[in-house]
Amino acid sequence: MFIIKVIEFIGTAFKGPVEETGRILLLFYSTIKWLFRPPFELKNTTKQMVEIGVNSLPVVLITAVFTGMVLALQSYTGFKRFGAESLVGSVVALSMTRELGPVLTALIVTGRAGAAMAAELGTMRVTEQIDALETLATNPIKYLVVPRFISGTIMLPALAVIADIIGIIGGYFVTVIVFGTSPNLYMKMTWDHLKMDDIYHGLIKAGFFGAILSLISCYKGFYTQGGAEGVGKATTGAVVISSMAILISDYFLSAWLFK
C-alpha cells in the first residue's frame, strides 16, 4: 500500500507539468505548420517586432552597459592580485558574446514583452475575442501566435548584438577611464581572443531563447481561463516558465555549441 501511495503521489505531482509540456509542444507544432502558409501577416509581424525589439531597447541598453561595467570592475580587481589586468578586455568580450548578452537579453525581454504577450492574449481569450476570430473563419494561431513567434526569434539576436557591443563599451569605460589601462591594450586583448564563432553561437542561443519565450508566453495567454484573475496568473506563469526554460536550455545549448 505504501508503494502504491508513493506512485500515486509521484503521478499526481508530474501530471500537471507533463500535460502542460504536451500542450506547449502541440502549439509549437501548429505554429510551425502555419508558419509557411499564406496569407502572411506582415503588418502584424512588423508591429510585434517593434513591440519586442524596439520597445525593449532602452532596458536592454541599461542592463548591458552596467553588466559590462560590473564585469570589468570585478575582473580587474580580481586579476590585479596576480598581475593579469590586461586580460580584462578578453574576459568582458567573451562573457558578453557567449553568455551574458544572450541570456540577460532574453530574461529582460521575457519580463517585459513576454508578460505583455501573455496579458494581451489572455485578455482576448477571457473577453471571447479569440472565439470571435474563429467565428469569422480566422485561424487564431496563424493571426496571433505566428507573428509573435517570428518576431521573438528574429529580434532576440538583434538585441543580443547590441547588448554585446554596449557591454564591451561599458567594460572599456571602467578599464580605461576609471582604472587608466591603455585603450589600445584593452581593444587588442578584446579582439585577439574573440572569435567569430563566439559571436555566432551566442546569436544562435538568442534565437532559441526568443522562440522559447514567445511560444510559452503565447501559450499561457492563449489558454487563459478564469477572468481577470486568470490573466494575472497567466502573465506570472509566462514569465516564470519562460525564464526557467531559458536558463535550463542555456546549459544544453552551451554544451552543444561551445564543446
Side-chain angles (χ1 to χ4, degrees), residues 190-245:
T190 297
W191 292 115
D192 281 357
H193 296 93
L194 185 64
K195 298 178 181 178
M196 291 307 294
D197 282 350
D198 298 321
I199 300 173
Y200 293 149
H201 291 164
L203 298 184
I204 291 172
K205 287 170 62 174
F208 271 98
F209 297 155
I212 289 171
L213 77 89
S214 56
L215 185 69
I216 293 176
S217 299
C218 287
Y219 162 76
K220 295 300 288 186
F222 199 80
Y223 294 104
T224 297
Q225 293 179 336
E229 184 180 356
V231 174
K233 289 181 179 178
T235 304
T236 304
V239 174
V240 172
I241 297 176
S242 297
S243 300
M244 290 175 63

Side-chain angles (χ1 to χ4, degrees), residues 41-242:
E41 300 289 344
L42 295 179
K43 185 177 179 181
N44 200 6
T45 303
T46 304
K47 179 185 174 184
Q48 293 304 322
M49 291 175 76
V50 171
E51 175 63 28
I52 295 172
V54 178
N55 293 346
S56 298
L57 195 55
V59 68
V60 169
L61 291 177
I62 293 172
T63 303
V65 71
F66 280 96
T67 299
M69 291 171 68
V70 169
L71 194 57
L73 179 66
Q74 295 282 21
S75 300
Y76 189 91
T77 53
F79 288 173
K80 190 177 181 180
R81 298 173 186 175
F82 39 87
E85 303 96 311
S86 61
L87 294 174
V88 172
S90 302
V91 170
V92 172
L94 291 175
S95 300
M96 290 302 301
T97 55
R98 294 167 64 113
E99 185 65 26
L100 295 177
V103 173
L104 290 180
T105 300
L107 294 176
I108 290 165
V109 173
T110 297
R112 207 200 68 78
M117 279 186 217
E120 184 180 6
L121 295 186
T123 302
M124 293 181 70
R125 171 62 74 186
V126 299
T127 56
E128 300 182 352
Q129 293 180 57
I130 294 179
D131 297 329
L133 286 174
E134 293 175 337
T135 304
L136 295 171
T138 300
N139 186 300
I141 293 178
K142 175 72 178 174
Y143 184 72
L144 297 173
V145 178
V146 171
R148 288 166 173 80
F149 180 80
I150 295 173
S151 303
T153 307
I154 293 175
M155 294 312 295
L156 257 291
L159 288 172
V161 168
I162 297 171
D164 294 344
I165 295 171
I166 296 300
I168 292 172
I169 293 174
Y172 177 93
F173 176 81
V174 170
T175 309
V176 176
I177 306 299
V178 176
F179 291 116
T181 300
S182 166
N184 293 332
L185 177 63
Y186 181 87
M187 297 309 298
K188 181 178 184 303
M189 296 304 291
T190 297
W191 292 115
D192 281 357
H193 296 93
L194 185 64
K195 298 178 181 178
M196 291 307 294
D197 282 350
D198 298 321
I199 300 173
Y200 293 149
H201 291 164
L203 298 184
I204 291 172
K205 287 170 62 174
F208 271 98
F209 297 155
I212 289 171
L213 77 89
S214 56
L215 185 69
I216 293 176
S217 299
C218 287
Y219 162 76
K220 295 300 288 186
F222 199 80
Y223 294 104
T224 297
Q225 293 179 336
E229 184 180 356
V231 174
K233 289 181 179 178
T235 304
T236 304
V239 174
V240 172
I241 297 176
S242 297

Side-chain angles (χ1 to χ4, degrees), residues 1-34:
M1 292 297 292
F2 175 74
I3 295 176
I4 293 175
K5 288 184 178 180
V6 170
I7 293 173
E8 287 179 349
F9 174 78
I10 294 174
T12 303
F14 283 93
K15 181 183 176 184
V18 170
E19 285 182 349
E20 197 154 52
T21 302
R23 288 195 290 266
I24 292 173
L25 291 176
L26 286 175
L27 181 62
F28 176 67
Y29 170 75
S30 299
T31 303
I32 296 299
K33 187 176 73 174
W34 286 101

